[in-house]
Amino acid sequence: MSQDIVHDSLEAPLGSTAERQAVVGAAGAAPGQDWVIVTRGIKREYDMGGEVVRALRGVDVAIRRNEYVAIMGPSGSGKSTLMNVIGCLDTPNAGEYWLNGTQVSKMSDDALARVRNKEIGFVFQTFNLLPRASALHNVELPLVYAGVPGEERRRRAKEALERVQLGGRIDHRPNELSGGQRQRVAIARALVNNPSILLADEPTGNLDSATSEEIMKVFESLADQGQTVIMVTHEPDIAAHARRVIVLRDGMVHSDERRSTFVEKLGLPA
Amino acid sequence: MPFVEAIRLALQQIWVQKLKSFFTLLGVMIGVTFLIAVVSIVGGMSRYMTDQVVGKIMAVNSFELRHRPNINLGEMTEERWRELRRRPRIKESDIQPVTDALPPDVRWAAVGNDNLSAQSRYVAKPRQVNAFTVTDGYFDVKKMAPVSGRLFSPQEYERGMPVIVIGQDVANYFFPALDPVGRELVVRGIPYTVVGVMEKQGSAFGISFDKFIVAPHKSPINRYVNAHNVIDAIMIQTASREGLLSTMETVRQVMRARHHLRPSQKDDFELETSDSALEFWNKIKSYLVFAGVALPAIGLVVGAIVIMNIMLVAVAERTREIGIRKSLGARRRDIMSQFLVESATLSTVGAALGVATGFAFAKLIAAVTPLPAAVELWSVLVGIGIGAGVGIVAGVYPASRASRLDPITALRAE
């Protein structure tokens, strides 16, 4: 399985390829403290009206705390499925998925809901804000499901909105905000419960390039502050913001390399 | 998700779609409206029966020893009628043994009663009056007081003087524009002096309770009211509701002994209370309440179906929202309770509106028809409870569908 990892010597702080191979290879064993995500031979198949679609065919990924990783791939490569699995919205048919030292690949629906609530902050391409709720209420939602009492909930939601420079717009509804602002509300919502990972799915897909740049700066600064960020995208120039780029192809890891290598290969400006 | 939060969310949802919500809860509202209206009218009639009809005939915490029931509401079989006809009358000689057995704080009076023709010199035409002959406890038990004149003196009771007190209707008919006190009323050729006019007693179903005259038991009128030595009833009033049953039992034992009844034989006399007089009414009432509950139930079933339908639409419309909530950590039960609370709130609001309109409806009926209405607290609580119940029942299926949605599919929904 480890042959799926395309070797590129990634040194500290990203850790070496050997280290990742070691942690991925130790099937059944809980990974160490600093590994946020470890997947071992994850497979996911769908039954589409009798035809079996093999979306993931054995994916091995190991991501440390504080990494900023982009998952790339053409459509049909399985990147959305991988994101759903990593985001605990879906469970694999085979293989292990360890999130923050806990194996979540065999959890029940409700247990997965807990994990999504506590460990994962989603940012979607289409923002996915509740249209009739204010920015504040949208950001409060994860805390509602975490059972945080009202006072503290509002305080923390306000803080999260201030972190994305939207402190002055807490009472606005999504349709009163620009695309960039909506996405920042979504980021605030993703961060409000202090998740282990921030999981962004094409976060700039619905934004113009200037606003995209602005959102990428937000991710940049979050990553600088130590937030683990995983971003799924099919745009190389967006992926190039991450410090490590995993490319999927046909449901398997095609390459896994640090940003400089990736940028060099694509001939993008560094 | 906390319950209060869920209700707030549900109310917000209802408020956002006011018109749609209104139509959704119309079924429940109409159901509860009729429930409240019917129960109120039946309740009002019941109160009317108790207070106005039976209450006027029977005093509080009292019973009457009679040979047959006085108030006959309801069907009477041939057999029962024969049995009643075979019963011996209550005698004057029963008074002493019965009243001797009573506890000291019990009031009593012997009463005879018949319709007799009366005449006065001021009006040409004689008229039927309801004539009572009573012993001295009567006015105490009935809590009747004169508006002019006085009641009888002990001597008048003792010597059977030809004196009477009269009701308002009697006063108005026989003594038009006159003060009846001191004037005479002739019954069966014997003149009786009116010593008092009693306060107004009112009427029930158009029958006046003020067409009476009352004379001392020993007065000459008694021989026209009853055969020699016979009385119609002994009225017995206990100080409290609790004493009533034991006193009735005491009287029953005395009378059974006097009539030499074997244990296997039934009583051949009647101990009539306001409850026994109300028995037939209560039977009718239970039919009415049943109908009053069964008919609105149809409305509620329709209401439940409408709510279920609307909730299914809401789940379909808000699939994306469900996906978002699930991605943020909502468990199945969170989604389930959100939609359950929403449908319960929806139909509880409907029920509350139904209570209000039912109340108004009952008041309207009370205002334009002779039927009285009294809104009873239990019907309000039951109405609102049913509303919430209907909402929960109707919401279970849509809510469980919502809770089982796959988050990935739900997030992709338009």
Side-chain angles (χ1 to χ4, degrees):
Chain A
M1 277 172 203
S2 53
Q3 78 270 14
D4 284 340
I5 299 175
V6 174
H7 312 293
D8 177 64
S9 55
L10 296 172
E11 300 92 30
L14 300 180
S16 69
T17 307
E19 271 175 349
R20 288 207 298 279
Q21 277 176 338
V23 76
V24 164
Q33 274 287 306
D34 51 341
W35 297 99
V36 182
I37 291 172
V38 173
T39 72
R40 291 170 180 144
I42 279 188
K43 290 183 181 165
R44 184 71 174 94
E45 294 169 353
Y46 298 102
D47 190 5
M48 305 278 271
E51 198 186 334
V52 177
V53 177
R54 296 169 68 200
L56 298 179
R57 308 176 181 206
V59 174
D60 300 325
V61 168
I63 297 170
R64 279 175 196 271
R65 207 171 295 285
N66 307 346
E67 280 196 79
Y68 182 8
V69 182
I71 297 175
M72 273 204 70
S75 62
S77 61
K79 63 180 191 301
S80 288
T81 307
L82 181 60
M83 195 211 73
N84 287 338
V85 170
I86 289 178
C88 292
L89 291 166
D90 199 359
T91 47
N93 298 116
E96 294 172 22
Y97 171 27
W98 294 82
L99 174 64
N100 225 0
T102 319
Q103 189 171 7
V104 294
S105 41
K106 289 183 177 67
M107 278 186 174
S108 69
D109 275 9
D110 279 356
L112 287 175
R114 290 277 77 163
V115 173
R116 287 198 293 272
N117 186 247
K118 296 251 182 297
E119 307 286 350
I120 294 157
F122 284 102
V123 176
F124 300 97
Q125 176 177 4
T126 51
F127 321 131
N128 278 341
L129 299 172
L130 295 186
R132 279 196 283 265
S134 66
L136 184 71
H137 188 73
N138 266 294
V139 176
E140 271 183 66
L141 265 184
L143 300 176
V144 169
Y145 291 116
V148 176
E151 276 297 302
E152 191 192 338
R153 215 160 64 203
R154 274 184 288 283
R155 183 179 59 72
R156 280 169 65 179
K158 260 183 216 159
E159 279 173 15
L161 280 164
E162 276 156 16
R163 262 177 93 180
V164 293
Q165 280 82 50
L166 280 176
R169 305 205 173 248
I170 58 172
D171 292 324
H172 288 57
R173 289 185 179 188
N175 59 8
E176 298 162 340
L177 297 170
S178 71
Q181 287 169 333
R182 285 183 214 184
Q183 197 58 301
R184 280 191 280 154
V185 172
I187 293 170
R189 181 180 67 185
L191 293 174
V192 73
N193 212 9
N194 302 319
S196 307
I197 53 174
L198 185 66
L199 194 55
D201 181 18
E202 305 276 8
T204 59
N206 279 19
L207 300 174
D208 60 52
S209 45
T211 319
S212 297
E213 228 21 69
E214 168 198 326
I215 292 300
M216 292 326 292
K217 284 213 180 76
V218 176
F219 281 120
E220 193 82 48
S221 87
L222 290 172
D224 286 343
Q225 290 163 39
Q227 175 70 52
T228 311
V229 180
I230 297 166
M231 183 167 65
V232 175
T233 181
H234 68 277
E235 293 174 68
D237 51 338
I238 293 299
H241 286 85
R243 288 158 203 174
R244 174 181 164 196
V245 181
I246 298 171
V247 178
L248 291 187
R249 195 157 286 171
D250 301 326
M252 288 190 280
V253 175
H254 172 76
S255 69
D256 184 349
E257 47 202 11
R258 60 189 314 169
R259 177 174 172 243
S260 52
T261 322
F262 176 76
V263 166
E264 219 169 276
K265 270 205 290 199
L266 283 174
L268 288 169
Chain B
M1 178 150 49
F3 191 58
V4 183
E5 189 73 19
I7 288 180
R8 206 183 57 81
L9 199 67
L11 287 174
Q12 192 181 320
Q13 202 62 244
I14 292 168
W15 187 246
V16 168
Q17 307 178 316
K18 287 178 268 297
L19 195 63
K20 187 175 137 192
S21 303
F22 175 73
F23 284 120
T24 307
L25 47 77
L26 202 56
V28 173
M29 185 179 139
I30 290 171
V32 173
T33 298
F34 278 99
L35 180 76
I36 298 288
V38 170
V39 168
S40 301
I41 288 163
V42 171
M45 282 176 73
S46 190
R47 196 167 295 172
Y48 186 69
M49 286 297 288
T50 315
D51 297 354
Q52 299 298 307
V53 182
V54 176
K56 281 283 161 57
I57 302 171
M58 309 276 305
V60 206
N61 292 336
S62 75
F63 66 94
E64 293 184 9
L65 168 65
R66 294 178 163 273
H67 77 301
R68 292 177 203 156
N70 185 33
I71 306 168
N72 273 311
L73 292 164
E75 71 267 74
M76 175 84 78
T77 60
E78 183 70 28
E79 206 178 330
R80 165 107 171 121
W81 182 237
R82 274 202 204 125
E83 188 266 321
L84 289 179
R85 285 183 68 102
R86 275 200 302 270
R87 289 183 174 187
R89 298 295 302 257
I90 307 296
K91 305 259 171 38
E92 276 184 357
S93 54
D94 290 325
I95 297 175
Q96 188 77 31
V98 167
T99 55
D100 279 353
L102 296 175
D105 60 341
V106 169
R107 283 196 278 239
W108 64 271
V111 183
N113 171 229
D114 205 352
N115 285 327
L116 297 175
S117 180
Q119 199 169 7
S120 79
R121 71 172 67 160
Y122 312 102
V123 180
K125 232 173 122 189
R127 200 180 226 197
Q128 291 272 311
V129 294
N130 200 358
F132 290 87
T133 56
V134 303
T135 58
D136 59 0
Y138 182 76
F139 296 105
D140 270 354
V141 173
K142 297 281 274 186
K143 294 213 164 44
M144 285 164 76
V147 282
S148 68
R150 58 173 175 85
L151 298 176
F152 309 129
S153 67
Q155 290 81 0
E156 282 165 342
Y157 279 117
E158 188 52 43
R159 295 171 59 193
M161 302 280 281
V163 287
I164 53 171
V165 297
I166 60 176
Q168 295 273 328
D169 287 0
V170 176
N172 294 338
Y173 180 81
F174 291 104
F175 308 98
L178 295 165
D179 180 9
V181 177
R183 296 178 197 273
E184 284 178 347
L185 189 68
V186 180
V187 181
R188 299 277 166 121
I190 300 169
Y192 294 85
T193 307
V194 177
V195 297
V197 177
M198 304 307 286
E199 60 200 0
K200 195 165 177 62
Q201 303 296 306
S203 65
F205 300 130
I207 300 163
S208 171
F209 289 121
D210 290 296
K211 270 163 72 174
F212 65 88
I213 64 172
V214 182
H217 179 67
K218 288 182 178 169
S219 73
I221 220 168
N222 195 39
R223 75 183 84 130
Y224 303 109
V225 169
N226 269 316
H228 187 58
N229 279 340
V230 167
I231 58 167
D232 282 313
I234 302 174
M235 286 172 42
I236 297 165
Q237 184 178 44
T238 55
S240 66
R241 184 99 192 146
E242 292 72 45
L244 193 62
L245 283 180
S246 64
T247 308
M248 280 172 78
E249 198 47 44
T250 309
V251 172
R252 168 172 289 126
Q253 293 315 325
V254 171
M255 285 309 290
R256 287 185 68 89
R258 288 186 63 76
H259 287 176
H260 307 292
L261 295 177
R262 287 191 298 277
S264 62
Q265 284 177 300
K266 285 185 177 167
D267 292 348
D268 59 355
F269 51 87
E270 203 72 27
L271 296 176
E272 190 169 56
T273 60
S274 53
D275 291 347
S276 62
L278 281 172
E279 214 165 83
F280 178 69
W281 162 249
N282 285 333
K283 207 187 276 175
I284 297 178
K285 186 180 154 186
S286 66
Y287 291 133
L288 287 176
V289 168
F290 178 74
V293 173
L295 294 176
I298 298 169
L300 292 173
V301 168
V302 174
I305 293 169
V306 172
I307 288 180
M308 187 186 292
N309 194 19
I310 292 293
M311 289 311 293
L312 283 173
V313 172
V315 169
E317 273 176 354
R318 282 150 64 191
T319 304
R320 181 72 166 269
E321 176 191 325
I322 296 162
I324 295 171
R325 288 179 183 277
K326 284 201 157 188
S327 77
L328 299 178
R331 289 158 300 174
R332 279 188 180 188
R333 78 183 83 131
D334 292 318
I335 301 294
M336 179 101 186
S337 70
Q338 181 190 339
F339 281 91
L340 265 188
V341 167
E342 192 169 319
S343 83
T345 306
L346 194 62
S347 86
T348 306
V349 168
L353 289 178
V355 167
T357 51
F359 187 80
F361 201 51
K363 285 283 170 217
L364 184 71
I365 285 179
V368 300
T369 70
L371 284 175
V375 174
E376 307 205 19
L377 183 64
W378 70 264
S379 71
V380 171
L381 297 179
V382 165
I384 290 180
I386 284 176
V390 162
I392 288 169
V393 168
V396 165
Y397 176 63
S400 91
R401 251 174 79 153
S403 75
R404 279 183 284 113
L405 280 175
D406 172 38
I408 300 166
T409 331
L411 274 172
R412 248 184 252 133
E414 272 317 300

